[in-house]
Amino acid sequence: MKEKAIFYCQQGENCSLALLHAAHDVYGFPLSAEMKQSCGAINGGFGIGGMCATLIAAIMVLGILFDAEEAKRKRLFFLLEFYNMYGALDCPALSYGKENCTALIGKIAELLQKHIQSE
């Protein structure tokens, strides 16, 4: 999934949509026009320096693939592991000093796939 997310970033898709497209390719869930369109409203930390939109998209994928309780459990472990790796969840801190977030989006996709496959 990492390579697919990076590919979609390189094609010009915003961060959250790149991750959703990659997860759709790997896991085959429906990806509606409305879901794609909604990604335009959350990129760039919601435009106010909030939570990374790629992380939001990852949590959305968990909600699509798992029932509510399992999605919440996986969300917790996913976010904790990510935070322990990067020390932040917000767009400005994660993107600081980077020309783009392509590598980070790839890492998020890789971590998401790990948590999707975990017991």
Side-chain angles (χ1 to χ4, degrees):
M1 191 162 68
K2 176 182 180 176
E3 293 78 19
K4 290 181 179 291
I6 290 170
F7 169 79
Y8 285 116
C9 283
Q10 292 170 337
Q11 297 302 304
E13 290 190 355
N14 73 46
C15 52
S16 56
L17 185 54
L19 185 77
L20 281 177
H21 258 139
H24 159 78
D25 289 354
V26 172
Y27 297 104
F29 58 80
L31 189 56
S32 70
E34 292 84 4
M35 189 181 292
K36 291 177 188 179
Q37 185 177 358
S38 71
C39 290
I42 66 171
N43 64 326
F46 295 90
I48 58 168
M51 188 173 197
C52 167
T54 310
L55 293 175
I56 297 296
I59 294 165
M60 291 169 59
V61 170
L62 294 174
I64 291 166
L65 297 178
F66 299 97
D67 67 54
E69 288 306 310
E70 184 66 8
K72 288 176 188 177
R73 186 183 74 75
K74 288 187 178 285
R75 173 191 68 195
L76 175 64
F77 288 112
F78 168 77
L79 289 175
L80 283 173
E81 184 171 355
F82 184 85
Y83 187 82
N84 285 334
M85 292 169 69
Y86 291 93
L89 300 174
D90 63 295
C91 182
L94 293 169
S95 62
Y96 182 77
K98 293 179 177 68
E99 186 175 316
N100 64 58
C101 291
T102 302
L104 179 63
I105 293 164
K107 186 62 182 169
I108 292 170
E110 181 177 52
L111 186 63
L112 175 61
Q113 189 165 29
K114 172 187 164 187
H115 284 272
I116 288 170
Q117 295 172 347
S118 71
E119 293 296 319

